[in-house]
């Protein structure tokens, strides 16, 4: 049974889908953190000069 699962996991299509989901999750986490940081509420840096 284990060899069957390993054979399935080493298929190029499965690897491509796995990496795509992995990178999509990373991008979504970065977008979430960017939105959560509140960049819109900061002051413009050159207003203090």
């Amino acid at each position: 049974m284990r060899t069957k699962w390993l054979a399935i996991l080493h298929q190029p299509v499965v690897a491509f889908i796995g990496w795509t989901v992995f990178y999509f999750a990373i991008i979504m986490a970065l977008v979430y953190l960017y939105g959560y940081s509140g960049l819109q509420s900061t002051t413009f840096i050159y207003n203090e000069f």
Side-chain angles (χ1 to χ4, degrees), residues 24-40:
F24 181 76
I26 289 175
I27 290 172
M28 288 297 107
L30 290 174
V31 168
Y32 172 75
L33 291 174
Y34 179 77
Y36 181 71
S37 65
L39 291 175
Q40 293 82 12

Side-chain angles (χ1 to χ4, degrees), residues 5 8 10-11 13-17 23 26 28 32-33 35-36 38-39 43-44 46 48-49:
W5 279 106
I8 291 172
H10 288 289
Q11 295 289 326
V13 173
V14 175
F16 175 76
I17 292 171
Y23 283 118
I26 289 175
M28 288 297 107
Y32 172 75
L33 291 174
Y36 181 71
L39 291 175
T43 58
F44 191 60
Y46 295 112
E48 298 176 6
F49 287 112

